Structure formats: C-alpha cells, structure tokens
Amino acid sequence: MRRRRRQWILLPLPLLLLTACTPPDEPIAALAVQDGQPVGVLVTCEDRYARLAVFENNHQGEPGKRTLIRWSIDGPPASEIVEVALLGQPPEGWEVAGVVGTPAAEAGIDPDVEPLTEFLPGVTYTVSGSSRRDAIPVDFTLADLPRIGPDQVLAPRGQDSTTVVSRETFLRKARDKC
C-alpha cells in the first residue's frame, strides 16, 4: 500500500515541472490618474523593449468573432518606469501599434481590430503591458478613476482582482518581481 502512495506522489512531479516552464505574469503594470485622465504605469524591468496597451473588455459577440477595440504602444523605454496617458501621445521613440502588433495577427489570424479612441461610462477596460515579462492585466471602468488618489495606483491583486495602493508600494513590489 505504501508503495502505491509513493508512485502517486511522484507521478504529478513531471507535470508540475512542465507547467513551470513559462514565467507567470507579474504585477508590473498599473493604472494611475493624472489631471482626471487614466495613465498606464509600466515597470520595464530595465528591458530594451516594452509594450503598453488598453482594450475594451466587455466580451460582446461570439468567441473568435469579437472585434478587438484597443490602443497599444511599444518601443524602447527611456527609463525603468514608463507612465503614459492612455489614448494620448506615445513617448518619444515609441509608436502606436497597428493590427500587426496583435497576438492574433502574429499567429496568422486576421483579427477585426478597431482603434480605441475614447473611454465610455459603463465599459470595462483592461490595461496590459510587457517588457521582460507580461504584466498581470488591470481591469477598470471610468467609475474607478475618482477613487485613485494622486500618489496611488490601481494595481492587480492576484489574477482576477484589483486594489488601490500607494504608488511606492506598487513600484517596490514590481521591482521585486523583475
């Protein structure tokens, strides 16, 4: 009987090792508010290339046939922390990404992509980003903006929730994950 238990314990070990190959998403992106406008904050982990995006996340339409409504920029970060007004001008040297920059297009799928040009009440948006690693996405609505203070950010708390924390707390935790 003991021998069987040991085999069952060792059996999941190879599966566990295989699933550990891809680094998990990290809390390196957050949402700040400056002058009433949403601002994406990305800790770049001192990488040479980074991406910051925001997209509508209302899940309307059939899976695989939904229109992706997004705004995305990418480029070389000039500093460890990139802060960009969402839907605004990208930092110098960065570009607004087109359809080619979507994962679906890179996989050979022709996605229906529309540019995100304004934030609307009642719509859920998601801020995402990447540098050395992908960021845990941060969901928000316009109703979340007033609760984010001047020295605070809306940051991920796990994979499926967010919390308002001090900017310094977010930056410290993000740097620790780099």
Coordinates of all heavy atoms in Angstrom, one line a residue, residues 60-123:
Q60 N -18.4 41.1 -25.8 CA -19.6 41.0 -26.7 C -19.3 40.3 -27.9 O -18.2 40.3 -28.5 CB -20.1 42.4 -27.0 CG -20.5 43.2 -25.8 CD -20.9 44.6 -26.1 OE1 -20.7 45.1 -27.2 NE2 -21.4 45.3 -25.1
G61 N -20.3 39.5 -28.4 CA -20.1 38.7 -29.6 C -19.6 37.3 -29.3 O -19.3 36.9 -28.2
E62 N -19.6 36.5 -30.3 CA -19.2 35.1 -30.2 C -17.6 35.0 -30.0 O -16.9 35.8 -30.6 CB -19.5 34.3 -31.4 CG -21.0 34.1 -31.6 CD -21.3 33.4 -32.9 OE1 -20.6 32.4 -33.1 OE2 -22.2 33.8 -33.6
P63 N -17.2 34.1 -29.2 CA -15.7 33.9 -29.1 C -15.1 33.7 -30.5 O -15.6 33.0 -31.3 CB -15.5 32.7 -28.2 CG -16.8 32.6 -27.4 CD -17.9 33.2 -28.4
G64 N -14.0 34.4 -30.7 CA -13.3 34.2 -32.0 C -13.8 35.2 -33.1 O -13.2 35.4 -34.1
K65 N -15.0 35.8 -32.8 CA -15.6 36.7 -33.8 C -15.8 38.1 -33.2 O -16.5 38.9 -33.7 CB -16.9 36.2 -34.3 CG -16.8 34.9 -35.1 CD -18.1 34.4 -35.6 CE -17.9 33.1 -36.4 NZ -19.1 32.7 -37.0
R66 N -15.2 38.3 -32.0 CA -15.4 39.6 -31.4 C -14.4 40.6 -32.0 O -13.3 40.3 -32.4 CB -15.0 39.5 -29.9 CG -15.9 38.6 -29.1 CD -15.5 38.5 -27.7 NE -16.3 37.5 -27.0 CZ -15.9 36.6 -26.2 NH1 -14.6 36.5 -25.9 NH2 -16.7 35.8 -25.6
T67 N -14.8 41.9 -32.0 CA -13.9 42.9 -32.5 C -13.0 43.3 -31.4 O -13.5 43.5 -30.2 CB -14.8 44.1 -33.0 OG1 -15.6 43.7 -34.1 CG2 -13.9 45.3 -33.4
L68 N -11.8 43.4 -31.6 CA -10.8 43.9 -30.6 C -10.7 45.4 -30.7 O -10.3 45.9 -31.8 CB -9.4 43.2 -30.8 CG -8.3 43.7 -29.9 CD1 -8.6 43.4 -28.5 CD2 -7.0 43.1 -30.4
I69 N -11.1 46.1 -29.7 CA -11.1 47.6 -29.7 C -10.0 47.9 -28.7 O -10.1 47.7 -27.5 CB -12.4 48.2 -29.3 CG1 -13.5 47.7 -30.3 CG2 -12.3 49.7 -29.3 CD1 -14.9 48.1 -29.9
R70 N -8.8 48.4 -29.2 CA -7.7 48.6 -28.4 C -6.8 49.8 -28.8 O -6.9 50.3 -30.0 CB -6.8 47.4 -28.3 CG -6.2 47.0 -29.6 CD -4.8 46.7 -29.5 NE -4.3 46.7 -30.9 CZ -3.1 46.3 -31.1 NH1 -2.3 46.1 -30.2 NH2 -2.7 46.3 -32.4
W71 N -6.0 50.2 -27.9 CA -4.9 51.2 -28.1 C -3.7 50.6 -27.6 O -3.7 50.1 -26.4 CB -5.3 52.5 -27.4 CG -4.2 53.6 -27.5 CD1 -4.1 54.5 -28.5 CD2 -3.2 53.9 -26.6 NE1 -3.0 55.4 -28.2 CE2 -2.5 55.0 -27.0 CE3 -2.9 53.3 -25.3 CZ2 -1.4 55.5 -26.3 CZ3 -1.8 53.9 -24.6 CH2 -1.1 55.0 -25.1
S72 N -2.6 50.6 -28.3 CA -1.4 49.9 -27.9 C -0.2 50.7 -28.4 O -0.2 51.1 -29.6 CB -1.4 48.5 -28.4 OG -0.2 47.8 -28.1
I73 N 0.8 50.8 -27.6 CA 2.1 51.4 -28.0 C 3.2 50.5 -27.6 O 3.1 49.7 -26.7 CB 2.3 52.8 -27.3 CG1 2.3 52.7 -25.8 CG2 1.2 53.8 -27.8 CD1 2.7 54.0 -25.1
D74 N 4.3 50.7 -28.3 CA 5.5 49.9 -28.0 C 6.8 50.6 -28.4 O 6.7 51.5 -29.3 CB 5.5 48.5 -28.6 CG 5.2 48.5 -30.1 OD1 5.8 49.3 -30.8 OD2 4.3 47.7 -30.5
G75 N 7.9 50.3 -27.8 CA 9.1 51.0 -28.1 C 10.1 50.8 -27.0 O 9.9 50.0 -26.0
P76 N 11.3 51.4 -27.2 CA 12.3 51.3 -26.2 C 12.1 52.3 -25.0 O 12.0 53.5 -25.2 CB 13.6 51.8 -27.0 CG 13.1 52.7 -28.0 CD 11.7 52.2 -28.3
P77 N 12.0 51.8 -23.8 CA 11.8 52.7 -22.7 C 13.0 53.6 -22.4 O 14.2 53.1 -22.4 CB 11.5 51.8 -21.5 CG 12.0 50.4 -21.9 CD 12.0 50.4 -23.4
A78 N 12.8 54.8 -22.1 CA 13.9 55.7 -21.7 C 14.3 55.6 -20.3 O 15.3 56.1 -19.9 CB 13.5 57.2 -22.1
S79 N 13.4 55.0 -19.5 CA 13.7 54.8 -18.1 C 13.0 53.5 -17.6 O 12.2 52.9 -18.3 CB 13.2 56.0 -17.2 OG 11.8 56.1 -17.3
E80 N 13.3 53.2 -16.3 CA 12.7 52.0 -15.8 C 11.2 52.0 -15.6 O 10.5 51.0 -15.8 CB 13.3 51.7 -14.4 CG 12.7 50.6 -13.6 CD 13.0 50.6 -12.2 OE1 13.4 51.6 -11.6 OE2 12.9 49.5 -11.6
I81 N 10.7 53.2 -15.4 CA 9.2 53.4 -15.2 C 8.7 54.2 -16.4 O 9.1 55.3 -16.6 CB 8.9 54.0 -13.9 CG1 9.5 53.2 -12.7 CG2 7.4 54.2 -13.7 CD1 9.6 53.9 -11.4
V82 N 7.7 53.6 -17.1 CA 7.1 54.4 -18.2 C 5.6 54.7 -17.7 O 4.9 53.9 -17.2 CB 7.0 53.5 -19.4 CG1 6.2 54.2 -20.5 CG2 8.4 53.1 -19.9
E83 N 5.3 56.0 -17.8 CA 4.0 56.4 -17.5 C 3.4 57.2 -18.7 O 4.0 58.1 -19.2 CB 4.0 57.4 -16.3 CG 4.4 56.7 -15.0 CD 4.2 57.5 -13.8 OE1 3.0 58.0 -13.5 OE2 5.2 57.7 -13.1
V84 N 2.3 56.7 -19.2 CA 1.7 57.3 -20.4 C 0.2 57.5 -20.3 O -0.5 56.6 -19.8 CB 2.0 56.3 -21.6 CG1 1.4 56.8 -22.9 CG2 3.4 56.0 -21.8
A85 N -0.2 58.7 -20.7 CA -1.7 59.0 -20.7 C -2.3 58.0 -21.7 O -1.9 58.0 -22.9 CB -1.9 60.4 -21.0
L86 N -3.2 57.2 -21.3 CA -3.9 56.2 -22.2 C -4.6 57.0 -23.2 O -5.3 58.0 -23.0 CB -4.8 55.3 -21.4 CG -4.0 54.4 -20.3 CD1 -5.0 53.6 -19.6 CD2 -2.9 53.6 -21.0
L87 N -4.5 56.6 -24.5 CA -5.1 57.2 -25.7 C -4.3 58.4 -26.1 O -4.8 59.1 -27.0 CB -6.6 57.4 -25.5 CG -7.4 56.3 -25.0 CD1 -8.9 56.7 -25.1 CD2 -7.2 55.0 -25.8
G88 N -3.3 58.8 -25.3 CA -2.5 60.0 -25.6 C -1.3 59.7 -26.6 O -1.2 58.7 -27.2
Q89 N -0.4 60.7 -26.6 CA 0.7 60.6 -27.4 C 1.7 59.6 -26.8 O 2.0 59.7 -25.6 CB 1.4 62.0 -27.6 CG 0.6 62.9 -28.4 CD 0.5 62.5 -29.9 OE1 1.4 62.0 -30.5 NE2 -0.7 62.6 -30.4
P90 N 2.3 58.7 -27.6 CA 3.3 57.8 -27.0 C 4.6 58.6 -26.7 O 4.9 59.7 -27.2 CB 3.5 56.8 -28.2 CG 3.1 57.5 -29.4 CD 2.1 58.5 -29.0
P91 N 5.4 58.0 -25.8 CA 6.7 58.6 -25.5 C 7.6 58.7 -26.8 O 7.4 57.9 -27.7 CB 7.3 57.7 -24.5 CG 6.2 56.9 -24.0 CD 5.2 56.8 -25.0
E92 N 8.6 59.5 -26.7 CA 9.5 59.7 -27.9 C 10.1 58.3 -28.2 O 10.6 57.6 -27.3 CB 10.6 60.7 -27.6 CG 11.4 61.0 -28.8 CD 12.3 62.2 -28.6 OE1 12.0 63.1 -27.8 OE2 13.4 62.2 -29.1
G93 N 10.1 57.9 -29.5 CA 10.7 56.7 -29.9 C 9.7 55.5 -29.9 O 10.0 54.5 -30.4
W94 N 8.5 55.7 -29.3 CA 7.5 54.7 -29.2 C 6.5 54.9 -30.4 O 6.4 56.0 -30.9 CB 6.8 54.7 -27.9 CG 7.6 54.2 -26.8 CD1 8.8 54.6 -26.4 CD2 7.1 53.3 -25.8 NE1 9.2 53.9 -25.3 CE2 8.2 53.1 -24.9 CE3 6.0 52.6 -25.6 CZ2 8.1 52.3 -23.8 CZ3 5.9 51.8 -24.5 CH2 6.9 51.6 -23.6
E95 N 5.8 53.9 -30.8 CA 4.8 54.0 -31.8 C 3.5 53.4 -31.4 O 3.5 52.4 -30.6 CB 5.3 53.3 -33.1 CG 6.5 53.9 -33.7 CD 6.9 53.2 -35.0 OE1 6.3 52.2 -35.4 OE2 7.9 53.6 -35.5
V96 N 2.4 53.9 -31.9 CA 1.1 53.3 -31.7 C 1.1 52.1 -32.6 O 1.4 52.2 -33.8 CB -0.1 54.3 -32.1 CG1 -1.4 53.6 -32.0 CG2 0.0 55.5 -31.2
A97 N 0.8 50.9 -32.0 CA 0.8 49.7 -32.8 C -0.5 49.5 -33.6 O -1.6 49.9 -33.2 CB 1.0 48.5 -31.8
G98 N -0.3 48.9 -34.8 CA -1.5 48.6 -35.6 C -1.9 47.2 -35.4 O -1.6 46.5 -34.5
V99 N -2.7 46.7 -36.4 CA -3.2 45.3 -36.4 C -2.1 44.3 -36.3 O -2.2 43.3 -35.6 CB -4.1 45.0 -37.6 CG1 -4.5 43.6 -37.6 CG2 -5.3 46.0 -37.6
V100 N -1.0 44.6 -36.9 CA 0.2 43.6 -37.0 C 0.7 43.3 -35.6 O 1.2 42.3 -35.3 CB 1.3 44.2 -37.9 CG1 2.5 43.3 -37.9 CG2 0.8 44.4 -39.3
G101 N 0.5 44.3 -34.7 CA 1.0 44.1 -33.3 C 0.2 43.2 -32.4 O 0.5 43.0 -31.3
T102 N -0.9 42.6 -32.9 CA -1.8 41.8 -32.1 C -1.3 40.4 -32.1 O -0.8 39.9 -33.1 CB -3.2 41.8 -32.6 OG1 -3.3 41.2 -33.9 CG2 -3.8 43.2 -32.6
P103 N -1.4 39.7 -31.0 CA -1.0 38.3 -31.0 C -1.8 37.4 -32.0 O -1.2 36.5 -32.6 CB -1.4 37.8 -29.6 CG -1.4 39.0 -28.8 CD -1.9 40.1 -29.7
A104 N -3.0 37.8 -32.3 CA -3.8 37.0 -33.3 C -3.1 37.2 -34.7 O -3.0 36.2 -35.5 CB -5.2 37.5 -33.4
A105 N -2.7 38.4 -35.1 CA -2.1 38.6 -36.4 C -0.8 37.9 -36.5 O -0.5 37.3 -37.5 CB -1.9 40.1 -36.6
E106 N -0.1 37.8 -35.4 CA 1.2 37.1 -35.4 C 1.0 35.6 -35.5 O 1.9 34.9 -36.0 CB 2.0 37.5 -34.1 CG 2.5 38.9 -34.1 CD 2.9 39.4 -32.7 OE1 3.0 38.6 -31.8 OE2 3.2 40.6 -32.6
A107 N -0.2 35.1 -35.1 CA -0.5 33.7 -35.2 C -1.1 33.4 -36.6 O -1.5 32.2 -36.8 CB -1.4 33.3 -34.1
G108 N -1.2 34.4 -37.5 CA -1.7 34.1 -38.8 C -3.3 34.3 -38.9 O -3.9 33.9 -39.9
I109 N -3.9 34.8 -37.8 CA -5.3 35.0 -37.8 C -5.6 36.5 -38.2 O -4.9 37.4 -37.7 CB -5.9 34.7 -36.4 CG1 -5.6 33.2 -36.1 CG2 -7.4 35.0 -36.4 CD1 -5.9 32.9 -34.6
D110 N -6.5 36.8 -39.0 CA -6.8 38.1 -39.4 C -7.9 38.7 -38.4 O -9.1 38.5 -38.6 CB -7.4 38.2 -40.8 CG -7.5 39.6 -41.3 OD1 -6.9 40.5 -40.8 OD2 -8.3 39.7 -42.3
P111 N -7.5 39.4 -37.4 CA -8.4 39.9 -36.4 C -9.1 41.1 -36.9 O -8.6 41.9 -37.7 CB -7.5 40.2 -35.2 CG -6.2 40.6 -35.8 CD -6.1 39.7 -37.0
D112 N -10.3 41.3 -36.4 CA -11.1 42.6 -36.6 C -10.7 43.5 -35.5 O -11.1 43.4 -34.4 CB -12.6 42.3 -36.6 CG -13.4 43.5 -37.1 OD1 -12.8 44.5 -37.5 OD2 -14.6 43.5 -36.9
V113 N -9.8 44.5 -35.8 CA -9.3 45.4 -34.8 C -9.8 46.8 -35.1 O -9.6 47.3 -36.2 CB -7.8 45.4 -34.7 CG1 -7.2 46.3 -33.7 CG2 -7.3 44.0 -34.4
E114 N -10.3 47.5 -34.1 CA -10.6 48.9 -34.2 C -9.9 49.7 -33.2 O -9.6 49.2 -32.1 CB -12.1 49.1 -34.0 CG -13.0 48.4 -35.0 CD -14.5 48.6 -34.7 OE1 -14.8 49.5 -33.9 OE2 -15.3 48.0 -35.3
P115 N -9.5 50.9 -33.5 CA -8.8 51.7 -32.6 C -9.7 52.2 -31.4 O -10.8 52.6 -31.6 CB -8.3 52.9 -33.4 CG -9.2 53.0 -34.5 CD -9.7 51.6 -34.8
L116 N -9.1 52.2 -30.2 CA -9.8 52.7 -29.1 C -9.5 54.2 -29.0 O -8.3 54.6 -29.0 CB -9.4 52.0 -27.8 CG -10.0 52.5 -26.5 CD1 -11.5 52.3 -26.5 CD2 -9.3 51.7 -25.3
T117 N -10.5 55.0 -29.1 CA -10.3 56.5 -29.2 C -10.9 57.3 -28.0 O -10.6 58.4 -27.8 CB -10.9 57.0 -30.5 OG1 -12.3 56.7 -30.6 CG2 -10.2 56.5 -31.7
E118 N -11.8 56.6 -27.3 CA -12.4 57.3 -26.1 C -12.8 56.3 -25.1 O -13.1 55.1 -25.4 CB -13.5 58.2 -26.5 CG -14.7 57.4 -27.0 CD -15.9 58.3 -27.4 OE1 -16.1 59.3 -26.7 OE2 -16.6 58.0 -28.4
F119 N -12.9 56.7 -23.8 CA -13.4 55.8 -22.7 C -14.8 56.2 -22.5 O -15.2 57.4 -22.4 CB -12.6 56.0 -21.5 CG -11.1 55.6 -21.6 CD1 -10.1 56.5 -21.5 CD2 -10.9 54.2 -21.7 CE1 -8.8 56.0 -21.6 CE2 -9.6 53.8 -21.9 CZ -8.5 54.7 -21.8
L120 N -15.7 55.2 -22.4 CA -17.1 55.4 -22.2 C -17.6 54.9 -20.8 O -17.1 53.9 -20.4 CB -17.9 54.7 -23.3 CG -17.6 55.1 -24.7 CD1 -18.2 54.1 -25.7 CD2 -18.0 56.5 -25.0
P121 N -18.5 55.5 -20.2 CA -19.1 55.1 -18.9 C -19.7 53.7 -19.1 O -20.3 53.3 -20.1 CB -20.2 56.1 -18.6 CG -19.9 57.3 -19.5 CD -19.2 56.8 -20.7
G122 N -19.5 52.8 -18.1 CA -20.1 51.5 -18.0 C -19.4 50.5 -18.8 O -19.8 49.3 -18.8
V123 N -18.3 50.8 -19.5 CA -17.5 49.9 -20.2 C -16.3 49.5 -19.4 O -15.6 50.3 -18.8 CB -17.0 50.5 -21.6 CG1 -16.1 49.5 -22.3 CG2 -18.2 50.8 -22.4

